Amino acid sequence: MHNPNAWIPFSFGPSNCVGKNLAMQEMRQLLCHFLQNLSVQLPDGMDPMQYEMEMEDRFVFSIGHLPVVIKRRD
């Protein structure tokens, strides 16, 4: 069961955080900067299906360890 209100870092309703829109825009800008300047890939020999099989859906969703290789793009 997905509950979008389970994680509310900026609060909600009419009294929510004044800087929410600015913070969200800064996070988008930072993510775009990282994706333009970094290459993210799985390490050699890593089986993506193993990662998916390690996920467990309980009361709280539990995910396994996901190793990634991050390299600077030239």
Side-chain angles (χ1 to χ4, degrees):
M1 177 174 171
H2 177 68
N3 183 359
N5 294 325
W7 186 70
I8 309 170
F10 300 105
S11 188
F12 65 95
S15 301
N16 67 351
C17 179
V18 176
K20 175 183 176 181
N21 292 332
L22 177 61
M24 295 296 285
Q25 185 61 33
E26 286 181 350
M27 286 189 277
R28 286 185 202 102
Q29 184 180 4
L30 185 63
L31 180 62
C32 289
H33 178 73
F34 282 155
L35 292 176
Q36 288 175 354
N37 294 307
L38 299 174
S39 172
V40 180
Q41 58 189 3
L42 294 174
D44 294 334
M46 167 69 180
D47 182 19
M49 292 305 294
Q50 178 186 1
Y51 173 74
E52 197 169 317
M53 296 298 286
E54 290 177 357
M55 291 183 184
E56 296 179 13
D57 189 10
R58 301 181 198 163
F59 184 68
V60 176
F61 194 70
S62 174
I63 59 173
H65 179 71
L66 179 63
V68 293
V69 177
I70 300 174
K71 296 180 182 177
R72 186 177 189 157
R73 293 185 189 206
D74 293 330

